[in-house]
Each structure stands twice: as structure tokens, then as C-alpha cells.
Amino acid sequence: MKMTLELAKFLLQTAERKARELGLASDIAIVDDGGNLVAFYRMDNARIAGIGISQDKAWTSVAMRMPTANLAQNAQAGGPSFGINTTNHGRVVILGGGIPLMRGGVLVGGIGVSGGTSAQDIEVAAAAVQAFESMRWTEHQQGAPVRIGSVNSLC
């Protein structure tokens, strides 16, 4: 299973749809299993600060293999991971909105969203994760997604 540009575009579209439903202008990033940017989308009027934040949320979700929101509690003063957000040249983000994309226990990539509150960013990212998890995969596609009910000429 591999993060492809086709898959990344599908996830961006899904996240954008959810952001629009919530009335948000979001920055949305998709990274592969190494944290490398595969695709990025900045909605009209999205904050420019969100460009880096969304990409770092996606990277953090892959690097830590957990949603960024999970880091927030442990990173508080006195917590077991206090200061973690100062590591990796400040790239580790403890704000919600970064979620790893897992398939059968294997890390495929991650999504990062910035544009609303942490709860809203999580909701937008979760919509893409849910779409990702509902996909049917086949060996012949080498990681490309197929929606249930679609026709795949390769198989």
C-alpha cells in the first residue's frame, strides 16, 4: 500500500468538502509514510500561516504515528512529553488536526488540516480518514484506491 497522488487528491477533495460544510477556509496537506508532502491544497482565503501548520501536522502524525491531538495532553507543563513541540526544529505540532492514515496496521501516510479550531480541524481531517478507511484495495492496483461499486479495468 502506497500513498499515491491519485489517493492524495481524493483525500484533499473529501477534506475540502467537509471544510466547506463547516464554513471554513482550510489548508490541507497529505504526506506519505515518510512524512514527505504528496499534495497540498489551500482553500481561498485560508490563512498563510496554516500552510506550514497543516504540513507539520501531517508530518507529526506520521512521525509520531498518532493523531496530533493525542500529544496535547502529554505536552502540557508537568506532562511526560512536556517540550516535545520544541524538538525536530519545532516541527512537532501538538494542535489537533493531524491524523495518520493506517491500513491493516501499516502506516500509509498522514493528513494535516489548519483553518479552524482544533476540534474543527480534527473533524475535517477525520472526514478524509473515514473515506480512506472505507476504501476497498486490491493487489493489482499497487496502492491505488477503488471505491466500492466502481469498475476497475486492471482486475
Side-chain angles (χ1 to χ4, degrees):
M1 288 166 252
K2 180 180 172 175
M3 177 58 67
T4 63
L5 181 58
E6 178 184 354
L7 174 55
K9 286 179 181 180
F10 171 74
L11 296 172
L12 287 175
Q13 290 171 349
T14 303
E16 177 193 4
R17 191 174 320 116
K18 186 61 173 182
R20 287 190 190 285
E21 285 176 18
L22 296 173
L24 300 173
S26 296
D27 293 288
I28 307 161
I30 307 292
V31 299
D32 64 16
D33 61 345
N36 303 298
L37 185 64
V38 175
F40 172 79
Y41 185 75
R42 180 174 174 241
M43 294 175 66
D44 291 341
N45 300 314
R47 294 183 200 115
I48 59 171
I51 295 169
I53 294 169
S54 65
Q55 291 176 19
D56 287 348
K57 284 181 181 184
W59 180 86
T60 300
S61 75
V62 167
M64 300 300 290
R65 295 181 177 250
M66 69 175 66
T68 56
N70 291 9
L71 294 169
Q73 188 64 31
N74 290 336
Q76 299 299 316
S81 298
F82 177 69
I84 194 165
N85 55 308
T86 65
T87 67
N88 293 279
H89 304 284
R91 192 159 189 203
V92 175
V93 177
I94 61 172
L95 304 169
I99 304 176
L101 298 162
M102 306 288 289
R103 180 57 115 203
V106 176
L107 182 65
V108 177
I111 182 169
V113 177
S114 180
T117 65
S118 284
Q120 290 170 323
D121 290 349
I122 292 167
E123 192 173 348
V124 172
V129 171
Q130 183 177 19
F132 173 79
E133 291 175 348
S134 71
M135 294 176 154
R136 183 173 55 91
W137 296 67
T138 67
E139 293 294 322
H140 300 291
Q141 295 171 286
Q142 299 177 8
V146 171
R147 297 296 299 165
I148 294 173
S150 68
V151 176
N152 181 357
S153 61
L154 298 177
C155 297

